[in-house]
Amino acid sequence: MTVSEITTRLIKRLVASATDFTGKQVDSAVITVPTNFTEAQKQALTAAAKDAGLEVLQLINEPIAAILAYDGRPDAKVSDKIIVVADFGGTRSDVTVVASRGGMYTILATSHDYEFAGCHLDQVLMDHFAKEFIKWNTTDPRAEARSLAKLKLESEAAKKALSIGTNSSFSVESLAEGIDFSSTINRLRYETIGRKVFEGFNRLITSTIEKADLDVLDIDQVIMCGGTSHTPRIAANFRNIFPATTEILAPSTTPTAINPSELASRGAALQASLIQEYDAADIEQSTHAAVTTVKHLAHALGVLAISGDAARGVFTPVVPAETAAPARRTIHIAAPKAGGDVLIKVVEGGSHIKVTQPEAKPKSNGAKVADAHEDGSEDDESSEEEEEETREKVWKVGGVLAEIAVKGVKAGGSVEVTINVAADLSTTITAREVGGKGGVRGNLEAPQ
């Protein structure tokens, strides 16, 4: 059988299951595809679905579908954020960095890896139990196909059990040469023998963030999807990699997290519900390159608000970098309590990571140092912890693009600043006192 024929059979089974569950005939759907799917692969998938009697309304990327599943919840608030979607499947791992700007998603970087996935965690357990079996018997269960299949099936079951509990039993009847085998393993042992695979997941996600020219401090949210994301150790490692402000959406870290195995299908179903009433021409137009490939801001646009005797204001980002044009953002800036004039400077800003090295401690004379550390006291450990460098995200402000003065602001009032970026990246800036009349308006030409 060809791959297309197998795909057609699979889609037929899926359509039959969906039809039985809903009680209605399913004749069209939205299908998710990996970010590296070529046009030829997309066309082949669409043709296979057509042969199965299913109309493909739209093909959307899997990481975008995962984000839609979360942003489509009734209690979700759409905000500007940088999201990492970590999709760890059975045979492959994909990591995608996405900029979410006002509900519009832009993919910044992607990575695809076949070296670290769920099957490699299965292999770790298979090797572990095979060695346990060889200790008591001379036969290697991995040498014979039937024994290997039994070993793999039970190892996968043990892996799933360790994602829920702290211990798992392994029992196979007639594993090799008619010999029954049973054993147990706890989660700590499992995480120890699988350390290399878990470290591979860590390297994959950090390298993808670097590929997007970002730092872990820039990431606002990490969405974990795929069956292997149920493993608690992976989410725990990410919790140590990212700062406390980064939200890790996984079953072991967030009680309200969506089942990682259902994320892509939930997002596709949500997209289907949104476009089911659209005509085919409208759907095709929405995915046209003129719509999906638009200009983006390279740097953040923000303001420096200067009032009173202050020489320099604090930079406040208004339109984040990677925002697709056109875009419109509004911000309110508090005026001095006593009121007065407020000067608004519109500037470009870029974030960078500030690293603060620990101060070198003065050395005492050799005799005292030897006495103090002769017994290897705990003071050594505490001093080492204190000497760790600190990293923080700070803004680096560029040149002033425009200045707007709002005079005579009332005591306790505020100034509303609106930045409107057109499709050609030309910008209109408006500033006015909230509740007041009039205002100041100016235009910036599009960069050449």
Side-chain angles (χ1 to χ4, degrees):
M1 294 182 65
T2 65
V3 175
S4 296
E5 290 172 340
I6 295 173
T7 305
T8 298
R9 287 196 177 193
L10 173 62
I11 294 175
K12 282 183 178 179
R13 290 292 298 272
L14 293 174
V15 169
S17 297
T19 300
D20 292 342
F21 182 80
T22 59
K24 300 178 181 178
Q25 180 61 40
V26 175
D27 53 13
S28 58
V30 171
I31 300 179
T32 64
V33 295
T35 54
N36 63 339
F37 243 42
T38 64
E39 286 301 321
Q41 289 172 306
K42 292 178 181 179
Q43 291 174 7
L45 177 60
T46 304
K50 185 177 180 181
D51 293 340
L54 186 71
E55 179 190 2
V56 178
L57 295 178
Q58 198 173 30
L59 296 176
I60 62 175
N61 290 324
E62 290 174 350
I64 302 302
I67 298 174
L68 275 174
Y70 276 102
D71 285 353
R73 295 189 295 184
D75 58 339
K77 294 181 180 179
V78 179
S79 59
D80 295 336
K81 54 190 173 183
I82 300 292
I83 307 167
V84 170
V85 181
D87 187 352
F88 299 132
T91 58
R92 150 176 156 163
S93 296
D94 300 307
V95 176
T96 308
V97 182
V98 180
S100 174
R101 301 289 184 251
M104 297 183 66
Y105 307 118
T106 303
I107 295 178
L108 304 181
T110 59
S111 292
H112 314 281
D113 188 85
Y114 289 91
E115 298 298 323
F116 301 101
C119 61
H120 297 93
L121 291 173
D122 295 341
Q123 187 64 47
V124 164
L125 289 171
M126 289 167 61
D127 293 340
H128 170 75
F129 290 119
K131 291 175 182 177
E132 288 284 325
F133 185 83
I134 294 172
K135 281 182 183 179
W136 305 99
N137 308 276
T138 57
T139 305
D140 187 347
R142 295 167 294 185
E144 200 265 324
R146 187 182 296 274
S147 301
L148 180 63
K150 292 181 179 180
L151 183 66
K152 182 176 182 179
L153 186 64
E154 191 64 21
S155 295
E156 185 178 354
K159 179 189 69 174
K160 293 179 179 179
L162 289 169
S163 296
I164 303 172
T166 55
N167 293 278
S168 174
S169 61
F170 180 94
S171 180
V172 179
E173 183 179 351
S174 183
L175 178 58
E177 295 184 347
I179 302 172
D180 299 340
F181 178 72
S182 62
S183 180
T184 59
I185 187 173
N186 59 36
R187 184 183 289 178
L188 180 60
R189 178 64 175 161
Y190 165 58
E191 293 173 352
T192 301
I193 62 177
R195 187 180 68 254
K196 289 185 178 179
V197 180
F198 294 129
E199 289 176 351
F201 291 139
N202 297 345
R203 289 194 298 270
L204 180 61
I205 201 167
T206 52
S207 63
T208 310
I209 294 171
E210 292 174 0
K211 190 176 179 181
D213 292 329
L214 297 173
D215 189 90
V216 292
L217 297 178
D218 295 311
I219 307 303
D220 301 302
Q221 196 175 70
V222 176
I223 295 177
M224 296 182 62
C225 60
T228 307
S229 296
H230 287 278
T231 307
R233 171 48 54 184
I234 301 176
N237 287 346
F238 291 171
R239 182 70 282 165
N240 294 330
I241 291 173
F242 292 94
T245 54
T246 302
E247 186 179 17
I248 309 293
L249 294 174
S252 61
T253 58
T254 308
T256 58
I258 300 173
N259 185 346
S261 301
E262 300 175 356
L263 270 177
S265 56
R266 279 176 176 265
L270 178 62
Q271 181 70 1
S273 69
L274 294 174
I275 66 173
Q276 63 178 342
E277 302 298 334
Y278 287 14
D279 294 328
D282 295 333
I283 298 173
E284 185 178 354
Q285 185 179 4
S286 68
T287 57
H288 193 273
V291 177
T292 58
T293 308
V294 299
K295 293 183 178 180
H296 289 68
L297 293 181
H299 303 283
L301 281 178
V303 296
L304 292 172
I306 302 173
S307 57
D309 298 329
R312 185 178 178 85
V314 178
F315 176 76
T316 304
V318 180
V319 187
E322 303 301 340
T323 299
R328 178 188 175 92
R329 297 288 191 279
T330 300
I331 188 173
H332 287 186
I333 300 172
K337 292 182 179 180
D341 301 337
V342 178
L343 176 64
I344 307 294
K345 293 185 177 181
V346 180
V347 296
E348 283 187 333
S351 63
H352 74 284
I353 307 303
K354 180 182 178 182
V355 180
T356 305
Q357 297 290 347
E359 295 182 3
K361 294 185 177 180
K363 295 182 179 179
S364 56
N365 63 63
K368 291 183 178 179
V369 171
D371 293 338
H373 302 290
E374 196 172 45
D375 58 348
S377 63
E378 295 180 358
D379 293 339
D380 294 344
E381 298 179 2
S382 60
S383 63
E384 288 179 2
E385 292 179 0
E386 293 174 357
E387 292 177 359
E388 290 183 358
E389 65 180 23
T390 58
R391 301 168 71 251
E392 59 178 330
K393 179 180 175 182
V394 296
W395 287 99
K396 186 176 181 181
V397 178
V400 177
L401 302 177
E403 292 186 357
I404 298 176
V406 180
K407 298 183 177 181
V409 180
K410 297 178 181 178
S414 60
V415 176
E416 181 184 83
V417 180
T418 301
I419 298 180
N420 193 353
V421 182
D424 62 351
L425 298 185
S426 61
T427 305
T428 302
I429 304 161
T430 306
R432 68 179 183 87
E433 180 183 357
V434 177
K437 296 181 179 180
V440 184
R441 181 187 180 95
N443 297 314
L444 293 175
E445 295 183 357
Q448 299 298 323

